Coordinates of all heavy atoms in Angstrom, one line a residue:
M1 N -14.7 18.3 43.5 CA -15.9 18.6 42.8 C -15.6 18.5 41.3 O -14.6 18.9 40.8 CB -16.3 20.1 43.1 CG -17.5 20.5 42.5 SD -18.0 22.1 43.1 CE -18.0 23.0 41.6
T2 N -16.5 17.9 40.6 CA -16.4 17.7 39.1 C -17.1 18.8 38.4 O -18.3 19.0 38.5 CB -17.0 16.4 38.7 OG1 -16.4 15.3 39.4 CG2 -16.8 16.1 37.2
T3 N -16.3 19.6 37.7 CA -16.9 20.7 36.9 C -17.2 20.1 35.5 O -16.8 19.0 35.2 CB -15.9 21.8 36.7 OG1 -14.8 21.4 36.0 CG2 -15.5 22.4 38.1
R4 N -18.0 20.8 34.8 CA -18.3 20.4 33.4 C -17.0 20.2 32.6 O -16.9 19.2 31.8 CB -19.2 21.5 32.8 CG -19.7 21.1 31.4 CD -20.8 22.0 31.0 NE -21.3 21.7 29.6 CZ -20.8 22.2 28.5 NH1 -19.8 23.1 28.6 NH2 -21.2 21.8 27.3
R5 N -16.1 21.1 32.8 CA -14.8 21.0 32.0 C -14.0 19.8 32.3 O -13.6 19.1 31.4 CB -14.0 22.3 32.3 CG -12.7 22.3 31.5 CD -11.9 23.6 31.7 NE -12.6 24.7 31.0 CZ -12.3 26.0 31.2 NH1 -11.3 26.3 31.9 NH2 -12.9 26.9 30.6
T6 N -13.9 19.5 33.6 CA -13.1 18.3 34.0 C -13.8 17.0 33.5 O -13.2 16.0 33.1 CB -12.8 18.2 35.5 OG1 -14.0 18.3 36.2 CG2 -11.9 19.3 35.9
F7 N -15.2 17.0 33.6 CA -15.9 15.9 33.1 C -15.7 15.6 31.7 O -15.4 14.5 31.2 CB -17.4 16.1 33.4 CG -18.3 15.0 32.8 CD1 -18.4 13.8 33.4 CD2 -19.0 15.2 31.7 CE1 -19.1 12.8 32.9 CE2 -19.8 14.2 31.1 CZ -19.8 13.0 31.7
L8 N -15.8 16.7 30.9 CA -15.6 16.6 29.4 C -14.2 16.1 29.1 O -14.0 15.3 28.2 CB -15.9 17.9 28.7 CG -17.4 18.2 28.7 CD1 -17.6 19.6 28.1 CD2 -18.3 17.2 28.0
R9 N -13.2 16.6 29.8 CA -11.8 16.2 29.6 C -11.7 14.7 29.9 O -11.0 14.0 29.1 CB -10.9 17.0 30.6 CG -9.5 17.0 30.1 CD -8.6 17.8 31.0 NE -9.0 19.2 31.1 CZ -8.8 20.0 32.2 NH1 -8.2 19.5 33.2 NH2 -9.2 21.2 32.2
G10 N -12.3 14.3 30.9 CA -12.3 12.8 31.2 C -12.9 12.0 30.1 O -12.4 11.0 29.7
V11 N -14.1 12.5 29.6 CA -14.8 11.7 28.6 C -13.9 11.7 27.3 O -13.8 10.6 26.7 CB -16.2 12.4 28.3 CG1 -16.8 11.8 27.0 CG2 -17.1 12.2 29.5
S12 N -13.3 12.8 26.9 CA -12.5 12.8 25.7 C -11.3 11.9 25.9 O -10.9 11.3 24.9 CB -12.1 14.2 25.3 OG -11.2 14.7 26.3
G13 N -10.8 11.8 27.1 CA -9.6 10.9 27.3 C -10.1 9.5 27.1 O -9.4 8.7 26.5
V14 N -11.2 9.1 27.6 CA -11.7 7.7 27.4 C -11.9 7.4 26.0 O -11.6 6.4 25.5 CB -13.0 7.5 28.3 CG1 -13.7 6.2 27.9 CG2 -12.7 7.6 29.7
V15 N -12.5 8.4 25.2 CA -12.8 8.2 23.8 C -11.5 8.0 23.1 O -11.3 7.1 22.2 CB -13.6 9.3 23.2 CG1 -13.6 9.3 21.7 CG2 -15.0 9.4 23.8
A16 N -10.5 8.8 23.4 CA -9.2 8.7 22.8 C -8.5 7.4 23.0 O -8.0 6.7 22.1 CB -8.2 9.8 23.2
I17 N -8.6 6.9 24.2 CA -8.1 5.6 24.6 C -8.8 4.5 23.8 O -8.2 3.6 23.2 CB -8.1 5.3 26.1 CG1 -7.1 6.2 26.8 CG2 -7.8 3.8 26.4 CD1 -7.3 6.3 28.3
A18 N -10.1 4.6 23.7 CA -10.9 3.6 23.0 C -10.6 3.5 21.5 O -10.4 2.4 21.0 CB -12.4 3.8 23.2
V19 N -10.4 4.7 20.9 CA -10.1 4.7 19.5 C -8.7 4.2 19.3 O -8.4 3.4 18.4 CB -10.2 6.2 19.0 CG1 -9.6 6.3 17.6 CG2 -11.6 6.6 19.0
A20 N -7.7 4.6 20.2 CA -6.3 4.1 20.1 C -6.3 2.6 20.2 O -5.6 1.9 19.5 CB -5.5 4.8 21.1
G21 N -7.1 2.1 21.1 CA -7.2 0.6 21.3 C -7.6 -0.1 20.1 O -7.1 -1.2 19.8
I22 N -8.5 0.5 19.3 CA -8.9 -0.2 18.1 C -7.9 -0.1 17.0 O -7.7 -1.1 16.2 CB -10.2 0.5 17.6 CG1 -11.4 0.2 18.6 CG2 -10.6 0.0 16.2 CD1 -12.6 1.1 18.4
E23 N -7.1 1.0 16.9 CA -6.2 1.2 15.8 C -4.8 0.7 16.0 O -4.0 0.7 15.1 CB -6.2 2.7 15.5 CG -7.5 3.3 15.1 CD -8.0 2.7 13.8 OE1 -7.2 2.4 13.0 OE2 -9.2 2.6 13.6
T24 N -4.4 0.3 17.2 CA -3.0 -0.1 17.4 C -2.6 -1.3 16.7 O -3.4 -2.2 16.5 CB -2.8 -0.3 18.9 OG1 -3.6 -1.4 19.3 CG2 -3.0 0.9 19.8
P25 N -1.4 -1.4 16.2 CA -0.9 -2.6 15.6 C -1.0 -3.8 16.5 O -1.1 -4.9 16.1 CB 0.6 -2.2 15.3 CG 0.7 -0.8 15.3 CD -0.4 -0.3 16.3
Q26 N -0.9 -3.5 17.9 CA -1.0 -4.6 18.8 C -2.3 -5.4 18.7 O -2.4 -6.6 18.7 CB -0.8 -4.1 20.2 CG 0.6 -4.1 20.7 CD 0.6 -3.6 22.1 OE1 -0.2 -2.7 22.5 NE2 1.6 -4.0 22.9
A27 N -3.4 -4.6 18.6 CA -4.7 -5.2 18.4 C -4.8 -6.0 17.2 O -5.3 -7.1 17.1 CB -5.8 -4.1 18.4
N28 N -4.1 -5.4 16.1 CA -4.1 -6.1 14.8 C -3.3 -7.4 14.9 O -3.7 -8.5 14.4 CB -3.5 -5.2 13.8 CG -3.9 -5.6 12.4 OD1 -5.0 -6.2 12.2 ND2 -3.2 -5.1 11.4
A29 N -2.2 -7.4 15.7 CA -1.3 -8.5 15.8 C -2.0 -9.7 16.5 O -1.6 -10.8 16.3 CB 0.0 -8.1 16.5
Q30 N -3.0 -9.3 17.3 CA -3.6 -10.4 18.1 C -4.8 -10.9 17.3 O -5.5 -11.9 17.8 CB -4.1 -9.8 19.4 CG -2.9 -9.5 20.4 CD -3.3 -8.6 21.5 OE1 -4.5 -8.1 21.6 NE2 -2.4 -8.3 22.3
A31 N -5.1 -10.4 16.2 CA -6.3 -10.9 15.4 C -6.0 -12.3 14.9 O -4.9 -12.7 14.7 CB -6.5 -9.9 14.2
A32 N -7.1 -13.0 14.8 CA -7.0 -14.4 14.3 C -6.5 -14.4 12.8 O -6.8 -13.5 12.1 CB -8.3 -15.1 14.5
K33 N -5.9 -15.5 12.5 CA -5.5 -15.7 11.1 C -6.7 -16.1 10.3 O -7.6 -16.9 10.8 CB -4.4 -16.7 11.0 CG -3.1 -16.2 11.7 CD -2.1 -17.3 11.8 CE -0.9 -16.8 12.5 NZ 0.1 -17.8 12.9
V34 N -6.8 -15.7 9.0 CA -7.8 -16.1 8.2 C -7.8 -17.6 8.0 O -6.7 -18.2 7.8 CB -7.7 -15.4 6.8 CG1 -8.7 -16.1 5.8 CG2 -7.9 -14.0 6.9
D35 N -8.9 -18.3 8.0 CA -9.0 -19.7 7.8 C -9.2 -19.9 6.3 O -10.1 -19.3 5.7 CB -10.2 -20.2 8.5 CG -10.4 -21.7 8.4 OD1 -9.7 -22.4 7.5 OD2 -11.2 -22.3 9.2
E36 N -8.3 -20.7 5.6 CA -8.4 -20.9 4.2 C -9.8 -21.5 3.8 O -10.2 -21.5 2.6 CB -7.3 -21.8 3.7 CG -5.9 -21.1 3.7 CD -4.8 -22.0 3.2 OE1 -4.9 -23.3 3.5 OE2 -3.9 -21.5 2.6
A37 N -10.4 -22.2 4.8 CA -11.7 -22.8 4.5 C -12.9 -21.9 4.7 O -14.0 -22.2 4.4 CB -11.9 -24.0 5.4
D38 N -12.6 -20.7 5.2 CA -13.6 -19.6 5.4 C -14.3 -19.4 4.0 O -13.6 -19.3 3.0 CB -13.0 -18.4 5.9 CG -13.9 -17.2 6.1 OD1 -14.2 -16.5 5.1 OD2 -14.4 -17.1 7.3
P39 N -15.6 -19.3 3.9 CA -16.3 -19.0 2.6 C -15.7 -17.9 1.8 O -15.6 -17.9 0.6 CB -17.8 -18.8 3.0 CG -17.9 -19.5 4.4 CD -16.6 -19.4 5.0
Q40 N -15.4 -16.8 2.5 CA -14.8 -15.6 1.9 C -13.5 -15.9 1.3 O -13.1 -15.6 0.1 CB -14.7 -14.4 2.9 CG -13.9 -13.2 2.4 CD -14.7 -12.2 1.5 OE1 -15.8 -12.6 1.0 NE2 -14.2 -11.1 1.4
A41 N -12.7 -16.7 2.0 CA -11.3 -17.1 1.6 C -11.4 -18.0 0.4 O -10.7 -17.9 -0.6 CB -10.6 -17.8 2.7
V42 N -12.4 -18.9 0.4 CA -12.6 -19.9 -0.7 C -13.0 -19.1 -1.9 O -12.5 -19.3 -3.0 CB -13.6 -21.0 -0.3 CG1 -14.0 -21.8 -1.5 CG2 -13.0 -21.8 0.8
A43 N -14.0 -18.2 -1.7 CA -14.5 -17.4 -2.9 C -13.4 -16.6 -3.6 O -13.5 -16.4 -4.8 CB -15.6 -16.5 -2.4
L44 N -12.5 -16.1 -2.8 CA -11.4 -15.3 -3.3 C -10.2 -16.1 -3.7 O -9.2 -15.6 -4.2 CB -11.0 -14.2 -2.4 CG -12.1 -13.1 -2.1 CD1 -11.7 -12.2 -1.0 CD2 -12.4 -12.3 -3.4
G45 N -10.2 -17.4 -3.5 CA -9.1 -18.3 -3.8 C -7.9 -18.0 -2.9 O -6.7 -18.2 -3.2
Y46 N -8.1 -17.5 -1.7 CA -7.1 -17.1 -0.7 C -6.3 -18.3 -0.3 O -6.9 -19.3 0.1 CB -7.6 -16.4 0.5 CG -6.5 -16.2 1.5 CD1 -5.6 -15.1 1.4 CD2 -6.4 -17.0 2.6 CE1 -4.5 -15.0 2.3 CE2 -5.3 -16.9 3.5 CZ -4.4 -15.8 3.4 OH -3.4 -15.7 4.3
R47 N -5.0 -18.2 -0.3 CA -4.1 -19.3 0.3 C -3.0 -18.6 1.1 O -2.6 -17.5 0.8 CB -3.4 -20.1 -0.9 CG -4.3 -20.8 -1.8 CD -5.2 -21.9 -1.1 NE -4.5 -22.8 -0.3 CZ -4.1 -24.0 -0.8 NH1 -4.4 -24.4 -2.0 NH2 -3.5 -24.9 0.0
H48 N -2.6 -19.2 2.2 CA -1.5 -18.7 3.0 C -0.2 -18.6 2.3 O 0.7 -17.8 2.6 CB -1.4 -19.5 4.3 CG -2.5 -19.4 5.3 ND1 -3.2 -18.2 5.6 CD2 -3.2 -20.4 5.9 CE1 -4.1 -18.5 6.5 NE2 -4.2 -19.8 6.7
D49 N -0.1 -19.5 1.3 CA 1.2 -19.7 0.6 C 0.9 -19.4 -0.9 O 0.2 -20.2 -1.5 CB 1.8 -21.1 0.8 CG 3.1 -21.3 0.1 OD1 3.5 -20.5 -0.8 OD2 3.7 -22.3 0.4
T50 N 1.4 -18.3 -1.4 CA 1.1 -18.0 -2.8 C 1.5 -19.1 -3.8 O 0.9 -19.1 -4.9 CB 1.8 -16.6 -3.2 OG1 1.3 -16.1 -4.4 CG2 3.3 -16.7 -3.2
T51 N 2.5 -19.9 -3.5 CA 2.9 -21.0 -4.4 C 1.8 -22.1 -4.5 O 1.9 -23.0 -5.3 CB 4.3 -21.6 -4.0 OG1 4.1 -22.2 -2.7 CG2 5.3 -20.5 -3.9
K52 N 0.9 -22.1 -3.5 CA -0.2 -23.1 -3.5 C -1.5 -22.7 -4.2 O -2.4 -23.5 -4.2 CB -0.5 -23.5 -2.0 CG 0.7 -24.0 -1.2 CD 1.0 -25.4 -1.5 CE 2.0 -26.1 -0.6 NZ 3.2 -25.4 -0.2
V53 N -1.4 -21.6 -4.8 CA -2.6 -21.1 -5.5 C -3.0 -22.0 -6.7 O -2.1 -22.5 -7.4 CB -2.4 -19.6 -6.0 CG1 -3.6 -19.2 -6.9 CG2 -2.3 -18.7 -4.8
D54 N -4.3 -22.2 -6.9 CA -4.8 -23.1 -7.9 C -4.5 -22.4 -9.3 O -5.3 -21.5 -9.7 CB -6.3 -23.4 -7.7 CG -6.8 -24.4 -8.7 OD1 -6.3 -24.6 -9.8 OD2 -7.9 -25.0 -8.3
K55 N -3.6 -22.9 -10.0 CA -3.2 -22.3 -11.3 C -4.3 -22.5 -12.4 O -4.5 -21.6 -13.3 CB -1.9 -23.0 -11.9 CG -0.7 -22.6 -11.2 CD -0.2 -21.2 -11.8 CE 1.1 -20.8 -11.1 NZ 1.4 -19.4 -11.3
A56 N -5.1 -23.6 -12.3 CA -6.2 -23.8 -13.2 C -7.3 -22.7 -13.0 O -7.8 -22.2 -14.0 CB -6.7 -25.2 -13.1
K57 N -7.6 -22.4 -11.8 CA -8.6 -21.4 -11.5 C -8.1 -20.0 -11.7 O -8.9 -19.1 -12.0 CB -9.1 -21.6 -10.0 CG -10.2 -22.6 -9.8 CD -10.7 -22.4 -8.4 CE -11.7 -23.5 -8.0 NZ -11.9 -23.5 -6.6
F58 N -6.9 -19.8 -11.4 CA -6.3 -18.4 -11.5 C -5.1 -18.4 -12.4 O -3.9 -18.2 -11.9 CB -6.0 -17.9 -10.1 CG -7.1 -18.0 -9.1 CD1 -7.2 -19.0 -8.2 CD2 -8.2 -17.1 -9.2 CE1 -8.3 -19.1 -7.3 CE2 -9.3 -17.2 -8.3 CZ -9.3 -18.2 -7.4
P59 N -5.3 -18.5 -13.7 CA -4.2 -18.5 -14.6 C -3.3 -17.3 -14.7 O -2.1 -17.4 -15.1 CB -4.8 -18.8 -16.0 CG -6.2 -18.4 -15.8 CD -6.6 -18.6 -14.4
K60 N -3.8 -16.2 -14.2 CA -3.0 -14.9 -14.2 C -2.2 -14.8 -13.0 O -1.4 -13.8 -12.9 CB -3.9 -13.7 -14.4 CG -4.6 -13.6 -15.8 CD -5.4 -12.4 -15.9 CE -6.0 -12.3 -17.3 NZ -6.9 -11.2 -17.5
H61 N -2.3 -15.7 -12.0 CA -1.5 -15.6 -10.8 C -0.1 -15.8 -11.1 O 0.3 -16.7 -11.9 CB -2.0 -16.6 -9.8 CG -1.1 -16.8 -8.6 ND1 -0.2 -17.8 -8.6 CD2 -0.9 -16.1 -7.5 CE1 0.6 -17.7 -7.5 NE2 0.1 -16.7 -6.8
E62 N 0.8 -15.0 -10.4 CA 2.2 -15.2 -10.5 C 2.8 -15.4 -9.1 O 2.3 -14.8 -8.2 CB 2.9 -14.0 -11.2 CG 2.5 -13.9 -12.7 CD 3.0 -12.5 -13.3 OE1 3.9 -12.0 -12.7 OE2 2.4 -12.1 -14.3
A63 N 3.8 -16.2 -9.0 CA 4.4 -16.5 -7.7 C 4.9 -15.3 -7.0 O 5.0 -15.3 -5.8 CB 5.4 -17.6 -7.8
S64 N 5.3 -14.3 -7.8 CA 5.8 -13.0 -7.2 C 4.7 -12.2 -6.5 O 5.0 -11.3 -5.7 CB 6.5 -12.2 -8.2 OG 5.6 -11.8 -9.2
Q65 N 3.5 -12.5 -6.8 CA 2.4 -11.8 -6.2 C 2.1 -12.4 -4.8 O 1.8 -13.6 -4.7 CB 1.1 -11.9 -7.1 CG 1.3 -11.4 -8.5 CD 0.1 -11.7 -9.4 OE1 -0.8 -12.5 -9.0 NE2 0.0 -11.0 -10.5
K66 N 2.1 -11.5 -3.8 CA 1.7 -12.0 -2.5 C 1.2 -10.8 -1.6 O 1.4 -9.7 -2.0 CB 2.9 -12.7 -1.8 CG 4.2 -12.0 -1.8 CD 5.3 -12.9 -1.2 CE 6.7 -12.5 -1.7 NZ 7.7 -13.4 -1.2
C67 N 0.5 -11.2 -0.6 CA -0.1 -10.1 0.3 C 0.9 -9.1 0.7 O 0.6 -7.9 0.7 CB -0.7 -10.8 1.5 SG -2.1 -11.9 1.1
G68 N 2.1 -9.5 1.0 CA 3.1 -8.6 1.4 C 3.4 -7.5 0.4 O 3.9 -6.4 0.8
N69 N 3.2 -7.7 -0.9 CA 3.4 -6.6 -1.8 C 2.1 -6.2 -2.5 O 2.1 -5.7 -3.6 CB 4.5 -6.9 -2.8 CG 4.2 -8.2 -3.7 OD1 3.1 -8.5 -3.9 ND2 5.3 -8.9 -4.0
C70 N 1.0 -6.4 -1.8 CA -0.4 -6.1 -2.3 C -0.7 -4.7 -1.8 O -0.5 -4.4 -0.6 CB -1.4 -7.1 -1.9 SG -3.1 -6.7 -2.3
Q71 N -1.4 -3.9 -2.6 CA -1.9 -2.6 -2.2 C -2.8 -2.6 -0.9 O -2.8 -1.7 -0.1 CB -2.7 -2.0 -3.4 CG -3.0 -0.5 -3.2 CD -1.7 0.4 -3.5 OE1 -1.0 0.1 -4.4 NE2 -1.5 1.3 -2.6
L72 N -3.5 -3.7 -0.7 CA -4.5 -3.7 0.4 C -3.9 -4.3 1.7 O -4.5 -4.2 2.7 CB -5.7 -4.6 -0.1 CG -6.5 -3.9 -1.1 CD1 -6.5 -4.7 -2.4 CD2 -7.9 -3.8 -0.6
F73 N -2.7 -4.8 1.6 CA -2.0 -5.3 2.9 C -1.8 -4.2 3.9 O -1.2 -3.2 3.5 CB -0.7 -6.0 2.5 CG -0.1 -6.8 3.6 CD1 -0.7 -7.9 4.2 CD2 1.2 -6.4 4.1 CE1 -0.2 -8.6 5.2 CE2 1.8 -7.2 5.1 CZ 1.1 -8.3 5.7
Q74 N -2.3 -4.4 5.1 CA -2.2 -3.4 6.1 C -1.0 -3.6 7.1 O -0.8 -2.8 7.9 CB -3.5 -3.4 6.9 CG -4.7 -2.9 6.1 CD -6.0 -3.1 6.7 OE1 -6.2 -3.9 7.6 NE2 -6.9 -2.2 6.4
G75 N -0.2 -4.7 6.9 CA 1.0 -4.8 7.7 C 2.1 -4.0 7.1 O 1.9 -3.3 6.1
K76 N 3.2 -4.0 7.8 CA 4.4 -3.3 7.3 C 5.2 -4.2 6.4 O 5.0 -5.4 6.4 CB 5.3 -2.8 8.5 CG 4.6 -1.8 9.4 CD 5.6 -1.3 10.5 CE 6.1 -2.4 11.4 NZ 5.2 -2.9 12.4
A77 N 6.1 -3.6 5.6 CA 6.9 -4.4 4.7 C 7.7 -5.4 5.5 O 8.2 -5.1 6.5 CB 7.9 -3.5 3.9
G78 N 7.6 -6.7 5.1 CA 8.3 -7.8 5.8 C 7.5 -8.4 6.9 O 8.0 -9.4 7.4
D79 N 6.4 -7.9 7.2 CA 5.5 -8.5 8.3 C 5.1 -9.9 7.8 O 4.6 -10.0 6.7 CB 4.3 -7.6 8.6 CG 4.6 -6.5 9.6 OD1 5.8 -6.4 10.0 OD2 3.7 -5.7 9.8
A80 N 5.1 -10.8 8.7 CA 4.7 -12.2 8.4 C 3.1 -12.2 8.2 O 2.6 -13.0 7.4 CB 5.1 -13.2 9.4
W81 N 2.4 -11.4 9.0 CA 1.0 -11.4 9.0 C 0.5 -10.0 9.1 O 1.2 -9.1 9.7 CB 0.4 -12.2 10.1 CG 0.7 -13.7 10.0 CD1 1.8 -14.3 10.5 CD2 -0.1 -14.7 9.4 NE1 1.8 -15.6 10.2 CE2 0.6 -15.9 9.5 CE3 -1.3 -14.7 8.7 CZ2 0.1 -17.1 9.0 CZ3 -1.8 -15.8 8.2 CH2 -1.1 -17.1 8.3
G82 N -0.6 -9.7 8.5 CA -1.2 -8.3 8.6 C -2.6 -8.3 8.2 O -3.2 -9.3 7.7
G83 N -3.3 -7.2 8.4 CA -4.7 -7.1 8.1 C -4.9 -6.9 6.6 O -4.0 -6.6 5.9
C84 N -6.1 -7.1 6.3 CA -6.6 -6.9 4.9 C -8.1 -6.5 5.0 O -8.8 -7.2 5.6 CB -6.4 -8.1 4.0 SG -7.2 -8.0 2.4
P85 N -8.5 -5.4 4.3 CA -9.9 -5.0 4.4 C -10.9 -6.0 3.9 O -12.0 -5.9 4.2 CB -9.9 -3.7 3.6 CG -8.7 -3.7 2.8 CD -7.6 -4.5 3.5
L86 N -10.4 -7.0 3.1 CA -11.3 -8.0 2.6 C -11.6 -9.0 3.6 O -12.6 -9.8 3.4 CB -10.7 -8.7 1.3 CG -10.5 -7.7 0.1 CD1 -10.0 -8.5 -1.1 CD2 -11.7 -6.9 -0.2
F87 N -10.8 -9.1 4.7 CA -11.0 -10.0 5.8 C -11.0 -9.3 7.1 O -10.1 -9.3 7.9 CB -9.9 -11.1 5.8 CG -9.9 -11.9 4.5 CD1 -9.0 -11.7 3.5 CD2 -10.8 -13.0 4.3 CE1 -9.0 -12.4 2.3 CE2 -10.8 -13.7 3.2 CZ -9.9 -13.5 2.2
P88 N -12.1 -8.5 7.4 CA -12.1 -7.6 8.6 C -11.9 -8.4 9.8 O -12.5 -9.5 10.0 CB -13.5 -7.0 8.5 CG -14.0 -7.2 7.1 CD -13.3 -8.4 6.6
G89 N -11.0 -7.9 10.7 CA -10.7 -8.5 12.0 C -9.9 -9.8 11.9 O -9.6 -10.4 12.9
K90 N -9.4 -10.1 10.7 CA -8.5 -11.3 10.6 C -7.2 -10.8 10.0 O -7.0 -9.7 9.5 CB -9.2 -12.3 9.6 CG -10.5 -12.8 10.1 CD -10.3 -13.9 11.1 CE -11.5 -14.4 11.8 NZ -12.4 -15.1 11.0
Q91 N -6.2 -11.7 10.0 CA -4.9 -11.5 9.4 C -4.6 -12.4 8.3 O -5.0 -13.6 8.3 CB -3.8 -11.7 10.5 CG -3.9 -10.6 11.6 CD -2.5 -10.5 12.2 OE1 -1.9 -11.5 12.6 NE2 -2.1 -9.3 12.4
V92 N -4.0 -11.9 7.3 CA -3.6 -12.7 6.1 C -2.1 -12.8 6.2 O -1.4 -12.0 6.7 CB -4.0 -12.0 4.8 CG1 -5.5 -12.0 4.7 CG2 -3.4 -10.6 4.6
S93 N -1.6 -13.9 5.6 CA -0.1 -14.1 5.5 C 0.6 -13.2 4.6 O 0.1 -12.9 3.5 CB 0.1 -15.6 5.1 OG 1.5 -15.7 4.8
G94 N 1.7 -12.7 5.0 CA 2.5 -11.8 4.0 C 2.9 -12.6 2.8 O 3.1 -12.0 1.7
N95 N 2.9 -13.9 2.9 CA 3.2 -14.8 1.7 C 1.9 -15.3 1.1 O 2.0 -16.2 0.2 CB 4.1 -16.0 2.1 CG 5.5 -15.5 2.4 OD1 6.0 -14.7 1.6 ND2 6.1 -16.1 3.4
G96 N 0.8 -14.8 1.5 CA -0.5 -15.3 1.0 C -0.9 -14.6 -0.3 O -0.1 -13.8 -0.9
W97 N -2.0 -15.0 -0.8 CA -2.5 -14.4 -2.1 C -4.0 -14.6 -2.2 O -4.5 -15.6 -1.7 CB -1.8 -15.0 -3.3 CG -2.2 -14.5 -4.6 CD1 -1.7 -13.4 -5.3 CD2 -3.3 -14.9 -5.5 NE1 -2.3 -13.2 -6.4 CE2 -3.3 -14.1 -6.6 CE3 -4.3 -15.9 -5.4 CZ2 -4.2 -14.2 -7.7 CZ3 -5.2 -16.1 -6.4 CH2 -5.2 -15.2 -7.5
C98 N -4.7 -13.7 -2.8 CA -6.1 -13.9 -3.2 C -6.3 -13.3 -4.5 O -5.5 -12.5 -5.0 CB -7.1 -13.4 -2.1 SG -7.6 -11.7 -2.3
S99 N -7.5 -13.6 -5.1 CA -7.7 -13.1 -6.5 C -8.0 -11.6 -6.6 O -8.1 -11.1 -7.7 CB -8.9 -13.9 -7.1 OG -10.1 -13.7 -6.3
S100 N -8.1 -10.9 -5.4 CA -8.2 -9.5 -5.5 C -6.9 -8.8 -5.4 O -6.8 -7.5 -5.1 CB -9.1 -9.0 -4.3 OG -10.4 -9.5 -4.5
Y101 N -5.8 -9.5 -5.5 CA -4.5 -8.9 -5.4 C -4.3 -7.7 -6.3 O -4.7 -7.7 -7.5 CB -3.4 -10.0 -5.8 CG -2.0 -9.4 -5.9 CD1 -1.2 -9.3 -4.8 CD2 -1.5 -9.0 -7.2 CE1 0.1 -8.8 -4.9 CE2 -0.2 -8.5 -7.3 CZ 0.6 -8.4 -6.1 OH 1.8 -7.9 -6.2
V102 N -3.7 -6.7 -5.8 CA -3.4 -5.4 -6.6 C -2.0 -5.1 -6.2 O -1.7 -4.9 -5.0 CB -4.3 -4.2 -6.2 CG1 -3.9 -3.0 -7.0 CG2 -5.8 -4.6 -6.4
K103 N -1.1 -5.1 -7.2 CA 0.3 -4.8 -6.9 C 0.5 -3.4 -6.3 O -0.1 -2.4 -6.7 CB 1.1 -4.8 -8.2 CG 2.6 -4.7 -8.0 CD 3.3 -4.8 -9.4 CE 4.7 -4.4 -9.3 NZ 5.6 -5.4 -8.8
K104 N 1.2 -3.4 -5.2 CA 1.5 -2.1 -4.5 C 2.3 -1.1 -5.4 O 3.2 -1.6 -6.1 CB 2.3 -2.4 -3.2 CG 2.4 -1.2 -2.3 CD 3.2 -1.6 -1.0 CE 2.2 -2.2 0.0 NZ 2.8 -2.4 1.3
A105 N 1.8 0.1 -5.5 CA 2.4 1.1 -6.4 C 3.8 1.4 -5.9 O 4.1 1.4 -4.7 CB 1.5 2.3 -6.4
Ligands
SF4_1 FE1 -3.7 -10.6 0.3 FE2 -4.2 -8.4 -1.2 FE3 -5.8 -10.5 -1.3 FE4 -5.8 -9.0 0.9 S1 -6.4 -8.4 -1.2 S2 -5.8 -11.2 0.8 S3 -3.6 -8.4 1.0 S4 -3.7 -10.5 -2.0

């Protein structure tokens, strides 16, 4: 027999699993890589390789600046790819760069 308590326990378990599924690094690791031709990527000057950034368009860019040491990078230090809130559901390269770069504190 399902009591109200066991029903609610089951529902909360399902919710917990659903939330965990969204937040796991595994889900992030399976996200598609940002396409450099994507309009958002073009607008921000995003490149997978920071050394390929257009110097004429972004004169303040420095080769030491990359997603891997950007405040917004959601991967761990040294990760080849990771999330970025500017590209929801996609991954940016740890060696990438865009014009919204903010040096990690
Ligand atoms: Fe990379 Fe930072 Fe730009 Fe995101 S905001 S794409 S992590 S440089």
